[in-house]
Amino acid sequence: MKTLTKELPATSRKQKLKKLLFSPKLAPYTFVLPFILAFVIFFVYPIISTITMSFQNINIATSEYVGLENYSKLDNPKFYAALSNSARFTFWTIVILIPFPLITAVFLNSKLTYLKNLFKSALFLPALTSVVVGGIIFRIIFSDMEEGFLNSLIMSIGIPAQEWKMQSNTAMLLMVLLASWRWMGVNILYFLAGLQSIPKEIYESAEIDGANAFQKFIKITLPFLKPVSIYVLTVTIYSGFSMFTESYVFWRNGSPNDIGLTIVGYLFDEGFSYGNLGMGSAIGMTLLAIVLIVNLIQLKFFGLFRKED
């Protein structure tokens, strides 16, 4: 009898534990717990830590609260050069990486286009290629030497050789071309996915009403692609302001007169090259604020915060 009375509580506890683990109320929290932990550890904590560090002067073993001193140091020509380069780069990538992929996707989605899969694969291939490899190819093409590939071509038609990586306008051209080469195929896939979700019956009805190809593009395709276009614009703005690798592959040790310096490049120099983590954190928080404000403005402009009827 004594053995039975001892086993009963133990059995009861196991049943309660089993019931708790398999409870329908607890199960959802159990499944989402890994995501919540990963989100807190790798997203929330770094952001809070970066905000804190941006108000500190951090040395190897000590840290000192300095208020807004790191942010006040951003009032310097180097930061303004980085901000200008990032803003110009973002503008040109928006000009190229939204309309051209959209038009290309329309042609690839047409039933009159042959070898669609071949073109899709060829256009997406650069996105799978390392930016270092792409940078080496671009450095060979745009070599500053007269024997360089592009300099040889323009010299053959009477144009003098250019120092592509030494001038502000040509330097921006190199970075924009490299980014466009990498991301054109990705944006084409976004627009292709949007195009294939448009009901074909709408185009057939428009054809019956006598609409031509241009009218169908303006009246049907563009309105239906608005959500995809806004997403691509949001991603392009973020990618433009956070660009670093396109600049780094051309000027690893710094560009002349900061013509290739971007905000993230400036952050990298201050935070890692000079070990000034407080200043680097202030630059990072400023970049976050800029991207957030620009994207909120464009989302407001396109009516994303408007209540649906």
Side-chain angles (χ1 to χ4, degrees):
M1 286 298 290
K2 288 183 179 178
T3 307
L4 182 61
T5 53
K6 286 181 180 178
E7 286 179 353
L8 278 176
T11 307
S12 178
R13 284 197 296 271
K14 286 181 180 178
Q15 288 176 344
K16 285 182 179 178
L17 181 62
K18 188 177 180 181
K19 188 177 180 181
L20 179 66
L21 291 175
F22 289 92
S23 168
K25 293 181 179 178
L26 186 64
Y29 299 101
T30 306
F31 285 118
V32 300
L33 184 61
F35 167 76
I36 292 174
L37 288 175
F39 179 76
V40 170
I41 294 171
F42 297 109
F43 189 80
V44 177
Y45 173 73
I47 286 183
I48 295 174
S49 179
T50 304
I51 293 173
T52 306
M53 290 166 64
S54 70
F55 296 104
Q56 293 177 332
N57 184 18
I58 300 173
N59 296 316
I60 296 176
T62 62
S63 61
E64 177 190 5
Y65 178 75
V66 293
L68 295 173
E69 183 180 326
N70 289 326
Y71 289 96
S72 64
K73 288 180 181 176
L74 294 180
D75 186 16
N76 68 76
K78 204 172 183 68
F79 176 73
Y80 290 131
L83 180 61
S84 173
N85 290 334
S86 294
R88 289 166 58 208
F89 177 83
T90 304
F91 172 78
W92 287 115
T93 49
I94 289 172
V95 169
I96 294 175
L97 284 176
I98 293 182
F100 288 101
L102 171 60
I103 295 170
T104 307
V106 170
F107 280 110
L108 287 176
N109 195 52
S110 172
K111 57 186 177 185
L112 301 176
T113 305
Y114 295 99
L115 302 174
K116 294 179 185 178
N117 291 332
L118 176 63
F119 286 120
K120 289 176 190 174
S121 303
L123 290 167
F124 189 73
L125 196 58
L128 303 176
T129 307
S130 166
V131 65
V132 177
V133 176
I136 292 172
I137 296 171
F138 272 70
R139 286 169 68 93
I140 293 172
I141 295 174
F142 292 94
S143 171
D144 291 337
M145 295 187 295
E146 293 185 354
E147 295 79 12
F149 177 76
L150 198 59
N151 274 340
S152 301
L153 286 181
I154 63 174
M155 287 175 67
S156 65
I157 57 176
I159 300 174
Q162 301 292 318
E163 293 183 324
W164 302 97
K165 296 192 292 293
M166 305 297 285
Q167 306 169 44
S168 175
N169 291 333
T170 53
M172 182 58 62
L173 174 68
L174 294 184
M175 293 188 288
V176 171
L177 284 178
L178 179 56
S180 302
W181 174 77
R182 288 181 66 201
W183 300 116
M184 182 76 74
V186 176
N187 288 358
I188 288 173
L189 284 186
Y190 288 141
F191 286 118
L192 270 175
L195 286 169
Q196 289 171 7
S197 67
I198 301 175
K200 297 187 185 305
E201 293 79 8
I202 299 177
Y203 287 109
E204 292 170 358
S205 300
E207 288 174 3
I208 293 171
D209 292 337
N212 57 34
F214 181 73
Q215 289 171 326
K216 286 189 288 184
F217 177 74
I218 297 295
K219 300 290 184 181
I220 300 174
T221 304
L222 286 183
F224 272 91
L225 286 182
K226 182 180 175 182
V228 179
S229 302
I230 292 173
Y231 173 76
V232 173
L233 176 60
T234 304
V235 172
T236 305
I237 289 172
Y238 164 74
S239 303
F241 278 104
S242 63
M243 185 273 286
F244 172 68
T245 49
E246 281 82 356
S247 170
Y248 187 75
V249 295
F250 286 117
W251 303 279
R252 293 177 187 175
N253 299 318
S255 56
N257 297 322
D258 295 329
I259 58 175
L261 182 67
T262 63
I263 298 179
V264 178
Y266 187 40
L267 186 158
F268 182 84
D269 288 342
E270 290 291 337
F272 298 101
S273 300
Y274 306 140
N276 191 352
L277 293 178
M279 185 72 175
S281 300
I283 298 169
M285 295 312 302
T286 305
L287 173 62
L288 175 64
I290 292 171
V291 174
L292 187 63
I293 291 170
V294 173
N295 271 317
L296 286 176
I297 291 173
Q298 66 94 3
L299 291 174
K300 176 73 175 174
F301 177 78
F302 286 107
L304 265 291
F305 301 125
R306 200 176 301 152
K307 290 183 180 178
E308 296 183 0
D309 297 331

